[in-house]
Amino acid sequence: MYSEDDLLPLSALQHLSFCPRQWGLIHLEGIWTESVSTLEGRFLHDKSDDYGAETRTDIRTVTGLLIRSLRLGLSGKADVVEFHRKRESGAVTDGTVRIPGARGFWIPYPVEYKRGSPKKGQWDEVQLCAEALCLEEMLQAVIPEGALFYGKTRRRHAVSFDAELRGETERLARRMHEMTLAGITPRAEYAARCNRCSLHTECLPKVTGVSRSASEYIARSLVSTKEGR
């Protein structure tokens, strides 16, 4: 169990899952560059950032909910958490929650807003799963599923919190704490996605990559210059 002082930002898991070096540049070195993509993403999040709640029939929606997990050492703010009323009719209600002033049993359903469209990687799913794990710990609930809402498609993408995704999320949370204590920004591992990263200029993945060194880069550049004369 972690203490309150040890909690790390839950949203950083998305950066670590996407690229360990990007995580290091942002969260260890404090480097951040706005781009059209990051501005669009921030605008989408701002729309659900303030705390609020409303109930419509069998769904109660809460926005800007502060969440945490002392077990994982994470804290953050959930964009949207829906509470779906569970049909009782003799069904087992274990893992559900009660809402003050509302009848029945409810199942938490986190929804995270993202720009663009569904990704090939699972970094968005990891962040959403971390939110679910926080809610489970706080509410003593069982949350089987949540959703990612993408701004480009304007559609929800359902995410099942299966054992594999939960395991990967917990592994990344442990790794993030270890890397924070070490305080060392990982070297780059160049990939096609690097060209779309807002920190491409600060990272210089082709220069600082694992398989390359600055001295090798300079040496090759000097050779190319001589040959071009």
Side-chain angles (χ1 to χ4, degrees):
M1 299 289 283
Y2 293 90
S3 69
E4 293 279 357
D5 294 336
D6 294 328
L7 300 183
L8 298 177
L10 183 154
S11 59
L13 278 184
Q14 194 259 7
H15 298 137
L16 180 59
S17 178
F18 175 74
C19 172
R21 180 166 175 80
Q22 185 197 67
W23 171 86
L25 291 174
I26 295 172
H27 299 282
L28 293 181
E29 301 186 27
I31 297 174
W32 178 257
T33 301
E34 288 282 18
S35 66
V36 173
S37 297
T38 60
L39 285 171
E40 288 177 350
R42 187 149 55 84
F43 175 76
L44 193 61
H45 277 87
D46 287 346
K47 297 172 71 174
S48 59
D49 201 40
D50 295 331
Y51 178 82
E54 66 174 11
T55 301
R56 294 183 180 178
T57 315
D58 291 334
I59 298 180
R60 182 172 177 81
T61 302
V62 179
T63 59
L65 183 65
L66 296 176
I67 56 177
R68 71 168 188 180
S69 169
L70 295 180
R71 182 174 68 86
L72 299 179
L74 301 174
S75 67
K77 181 183 291 187
D79 284 347
V80 174
V81 180
E82 296 177 349
F83 291 84
H84 296 188
R85 191 193 303 271
K86 184 177 179 65
R87 301 293 183 180
E88 298 185 46
S89 63
V92 176
T93 56
D94 291 347
T96 59
V97 300
R98 300 299 297 267
I99 296 177
R103 298 177 56 187
F105 298 87
W106 304 74
I107 302 173
Y109 191 92
V111 181
E112 178 72 13
Y113 283 67
K114 295 291 183 183
R115 64 168 297 279
S117 54
K119 317 295 193 304
K120 292 182 179 179
Q122 63 173 175
W123 41 88
D124 290 345
E125 283 83 354
V126 163
Q127 181 180 349
L128 183 67
C129 184
E131 293 180 8
L133 293 175
C134 288
L135 289 166
E136 286 186 338
E137 182 178 318
M138 294 172 64
L139 302 174
Q140 296 299 296
V142 176
I143 305 176
E145 183 180 290
L148 293 163
F149 178 87
Y150 286 96
K152 186 174 182 178
T153 61
R154 308 298 297 176
R155 297 184 62 182
R156 287 189 177 188
H157 171 66
V159 177
S160 175
F161 302 129
D162 56 25
E164 182 178 355
L165 180 57
R166 288 170 179 264
E168 174 65 4
T169 302
E170 294 183 6
R171 183 190 71 80
L172 284 169
R174 291 193 298 270
R175 185 183 180 195
M176 186 163 68
H177 277 277
E178 294 168 354
M179 294 172 69
T180 298
L181 287 175
I184 300 174
T185 299
R187 297 182 67 180
E189 294 185 27
Y190 181 75
R193 66 175 182 269
C194 292
N195 298 322
R196 301 189 301 273
C197 179
S198 62
L199 298 182
H200 184 273
T201 302
E202 290 76 15
C203 176
L204 297 175
K206 290 186 177 182
V207 178
T208 61
V210 172
S211 61
R212 303 187 181 197
S213 68
S215 59
E216 292 172 344
Y217 173 79
I218 292 173
R220 284 194 297 272
S221 298
L222 289 173
V223 170
S224 298
T225 300
K226 290 181 178 179
E227 292 177 348
R229 288 180 178 176

